[in-house]
Amino acid sequence: MKVKVISVLEDNYMYLIIDENTQHAVAVDVAVSKRLLEIIRKEDATLRAILTTHHHWDHARGNEDLSKLYPGLEVYGGDERVGALTHHVTHGEELKFSSINVRCLLTPGHTSGHACYFVWEDDSPDAPAAFTGDTLFIGGCGRILEGTAEQMYNSLTEVLGTLPKETKVFCGHEYTARNLKFALKVEPKNELVKEKLAWAKLREDEDVPTVPSTLAEEFFYNPFLRVSEESVQQFTGRSDPIEVFAALRKAKDSFRKPKERLNPQAMLAFEWGLFDPFLEKK
């Protein structure tokens, strides 16, 4: 099983999971169909299905286009708002595409219908993978837009946090350096946070993805998975895990707000190449 990491838009990730024996492939969070099709052709793969973590445009915008290009294409998600949805998944439901196995995990918090996907290959020594969308990021977690702090806490700790520790984490955005700067504010004496942040800054300077991490690593430097640690509780002034989590999320929401993002339609236009004729040298 091979995972192609595909950077699109300003900081999004799409993924193409390929069975290397059959070249059958499953896509995750198709924001830009044109870019995915380029990778599919380059890899000489056959698209079997789309796994969508949530309905937001920067994770699902390409579903309709691909459904038209591939009649009968299966589109999976945990929310009826997912574009071109053909299969509304349930928690713990398992899917199979050639030798690729997928367990669907409902993880409400960022959105009410958010789903993550735990993926492994038959008879493979390789570590499994989790595609976590906007629930779990490297060093952080998603904003709570439609759920509650308790829901997001449970999604992180009771659902994702109980997966095998060697699981590779493939998240939906490149927020690693920003997340770890906040983690360092929470735990200024955590040497592992300092080391990971220095590494992430180098990757950022080289324009190289920081994904994947592993679940085991996240427990060392991700404050949202460390709510029982004394240092994190001291930062929030709370001891109850859910209260600690809620205080962390509130603090992160106001921490060094990101620069204003480009207009979403403009970003898509650049990705689709609509401006190319105007940018070409005469």
Side-chain angles (χ1 to χ4, degrees):
M1 182 177 81
K2 176 167 64 174
V3 177
K4 295 292 295 182
V5 179
I6 309 168
S7 300
V8 292
L9 305 176
E10 189 174 11
D11 51 36
N12 276 76
Y13 286 126
M14 305 189 299
Y15 299 100
L16 189 66
I17 310 167
I18 304 172
D19 181 325
E20 294 181 278
N21 293 319
T22 64
Q23 289 302 105
H24 289 172
V26 178
V28 180
D29 280 358
V30 182
V32 183
S33 57
K34 178 183 176 182
R35 179 63 178 141
L36 182 70
L37 289 169
E38 291 172 356
I39 301 299
I40 289 173
R41 285 192 288 267
K42 183 177 180 181
E43 294 292 327
D44 193 25
T46 301
L47 185 64
R48 289 280 308 279
I50 297 173
L51 307 176
T52 303
T53 61
H54 60 297
H55 72 283
H56 289 165
W57 73 271
D58 59 333
H59 294 261
R61 178 63 180 81
N63 290 3
E64 288 88 350
D65 292 340
L66 290 175
S67 294
K68 294 173 183 175
L69 287 171
Y70 297 92
L73 181 68
E74 298 175 345
V75 179
Y76 295 84
D79 193 321
E80 291 295 334
R81 294 172 292 179
V82 169
L85 184 73
T86 62
H87 294 74
H88 191 149
V89 302
T90 58
H91 186 68
E93 179 179 355
E94 295 195 354
L95 315 171
K96 192 170 181 64
F97 307 96
S98 298
S99 65
I100 297 172
N101 302 280
V102 179
R103 182 178 304 142
C104 306
L105 305 171
L106 299 186
T107 52
H110 181 65
T111 65
S112 59
H114 197 291
C116 296
Y117 301 97
F118 178 66
V119 180
W120 72 98
E121 188 176 22
D122 290 335
D123 304 318
S124 173
D126 295 336
F131 296 86
T132 59
D134 286 5
T135 295
L136 174 64
F137 295 128
I138 299 180
C141 75
R143 288 177 177 267
I144 302 169
L145 300 180
E146 295 181 355
T148 65
E150 184 173 3
Q151 283 180 313
M152 183 66 97
Y153 169 80
N154 288 332
S155 292
L156 287 169
T157 60
E158 302 301 322
V159 180
L160 297 177
T162 57
L163 295 174
K165 294 298 182 287
E166 68 272 18
T167 301
K168 295 179 181 179
V169 177
F170 293 92
C171 57
H173 290 270
E174 182 54 64
Y175 291 161
T176 303
R178 189 188 311 164
N179 287 338
L180 291 170
K181 288 175 184 177
F182 175 72
L184 190 60
K185 179 180 180 181
V186 176
E187 294 187 280
K189 295 181 180 180
N190 187 326
E191 293 300 322
L192 292 175
V193 172
K194 295 177 184 177
E195 291 173 13
K196 189 71 174 181
L197 176 56
W199 174 85
K201 286 180 177 178
L202 286 175
R203 303 285 283 189
E204 190 176 67
D205 291 343
E206 296 169 358
D207 199 24
V208 178
T210 59
V211 294
S213 65
T214 67
L215 192 58
E217 292 174 16
E218 293 298 320
F219 280 98
F220 288 121
Y221 52 65
N222 189 327
F224 296 97
L225 290 175
R226 295 173 54 79
V227 296
S228 296
E229 297 293 327
E230 183 179 354
S231 53
V232 178
Q233 292 180 354
Q234 286 179 347
F235 174 82
T236 62
R238 305 283 195 278
S239 58
D240 176 79
I242 296 173
E243 291 182 2
V244 173
F245 180 87
L248 276 178
R249 189 59 260 180
K250 183 177 180 180
K252 179 63 168 65
D253 288 344
S254 60
F255 177 75
R256 295 186 185 179
K257 291 185 181 294
K259 297 177 182 178
E260 185 177 350
R261 295 168 66 92
L262 292 173
N263 178 279
Q265 287 75 22
M267 287 194 291
L268 279 175
F270 274 110
E271 290 288 343
W272 291 341
L274 299 181
F275 293 134
D276 289 354
F278 304 101
L279 298 175
E280 291 175 356
K281 293 182 179 179
K282 300 295 184 183

